[in-house]
Amino acid sequence: MSDRTKEARTMSALDGAVVAVAGAGGPAGRATLLRLAEAGATVVASDADAARLAEAVDAARYAHGGATVIGDTVDLLDLGATREWATRTEKEFGRIDGLVHLVGGWRGSATFAETDLADWDLLEKLLIRTVQHTSLAFQDGLQRSDRGRYLLISAAGASKPTAGNAAYSASKAAAEAWTLALGDAFRKAGAEQGLTSAAAILVVKALVHDAMRAERPNAKFAGFTDVKELAEAIAGVWERPAGEVNGNRLWLTEKP
């Protein structure tokens, strides 16, 4: 086998891609930055916490010395600022091939009757409004890409809400519906020229990482998805045709 053939076989669909990651400062974000950089992507990360973002970006740069990983503190609750981020990213790198939406947050209660509507006010901003802003800001750029992907990380509870998670589950369900609407927009845009861009939802029960295991060494974390497995699944979406993933929920845990 020639060296050229070997290289072709190991080429990633993310080689040369430019991917933005929203909410990149947490454990899932760190794992995702590492995996995307490893796959050859240029990664543009954002988080509301500048210090946490800088640590995540530095870790990815250190692990993959040749990778381009940059951090950009963006207020995703400001549509104008989010649009500026999308425009700036595409202008600087000449393209935008992905937006991975990892912005999270959780509030819950012991019973349905004890639900605090202040929790909804918070979660609506974190889990819905940020999705609205990133999708509206990045849609055009992703549509111009030959491999555009918008990926929402969601929770199984959106499909089967529990009594104490009304606000959280409803927020996640709304974010999923919004993302599926974006997928329909991609479908219609690709009707004539062929579908190249996709919006998809990766569904987990919950996420787990090494620090959680260290804090609770006896916990089973049954059905949880490790952040490294999530990062692998995220990168894998680019390996699949747009028509196969667009408008779909990709389950990383058992369906409820």
Side-chain angles (χ1 to χ4, degrees):
M1 185 186 298
S2 69
D3 290 341
R4 182 174 294 180
T5 302
K6 289 178 182 178
E7 182 180 350
R9 290 196 175 183
T10 58
M11 283 279 282
S12 161
L14 280 162
D15 272 318
V18 178
V19 182
V21 180
R30 286 185 175 226
T32 299
L33 298 189
L34 286 167
R35 184 65 186 89
L36 293 174
E38 179 187 38
T42 292
V43 189
V44 184
S46 80
D47 196 273
D49 187 323
R52 193 171 72 159
L53 175 63
E55 290 177 3
V57 168
D58 286 347
R61 285 176 178 165
Y62 180 79
H64 304 288
T68 300
V69 184
I70 65 171
D72 208 342
T73 306
V74 182
D75 181 5
L76 297 179
L77 293 176
D78 182 330
L79 178 57
T82 310
R83 288 191 189 278
E84 287 176 11
W85 181 39
T87 300
R88 184 168 62 249
T89 300
E90 189 174 8
K91 182 177 181 180
E92 180 172 353
F93 297 104
R95 58 188 299 132
I96 181 69
D97 303 292
L99 187 289
V100 181
H101 197 280
L102 291 167
V103 180
W106 179 84
R107 292 290 188 279
S109 56
T111 67
F112 180 79
E114 293 175 274
T115 298
D116 185 346
L117 290 180
D119 291 345
W120 168 261
D121 293 337
L122 173 66
L123 294 174
E124 184 273 335
K125 292 182 176 68
L126 288 176
L127 305 184
I128 304 174
R129 191 58 57 87
T130 59
V131 170
Q132 292 172 326
H133 289 174
T134 55
S135 59
L136 290 170
F138 282 85
Q139 179 195 358
D140 287 347
L142 294 176
Q143 212 159 271
R144 283 189 285 270
S145 169
D146 60 351
R147 47 183 152 165
R149 301 289 185 271
Y150 183 97
L151 303 181
L152 173 71
I153 313 308
S154 190
S159 300
K160 192 174 182 180
T162 56
N165 280 302
Y168 176 76
S169 298
S171 299
K172 281 294 191 182
E176 287 193 8
W178 190 274
T179 301
L180 296 176
L182 174 62
D184 190 52
F186 286 147
R187 180 187 63 79
K188 290 176 177 175
E192 292 185 7
Q193 301 298 323
L195 187 65
T196 58
S197 299
I201 301 161
L202 283 77
V203 186
V204 301
K205 177 182 178 181
L207 295 173
V208 64
H209 51 84
D210 292 343
M212 289 173 63
R213 292 192 178 93
E215 290 173 4
R216 300 171 59 193
N218 297 321
K220 300 296 185 184
F221 298 108
F224 284 38
T225 299
D226 190 279
V227 292
K228 297 183 184 71
E229 294 174 17
L230 173 64
E232 193 67 37
I234 287 169
V237 174
W238 273 270
E239 302 291 342
R240 300 167 66 177
E244 187 178 302
V245 297
N246 186 49
N248 288 329
R249 293 178 177 86
L250 311 176
W251 287 82
L252 304 184
T253 188
E254 187 176 342
K255 289 186 181 182

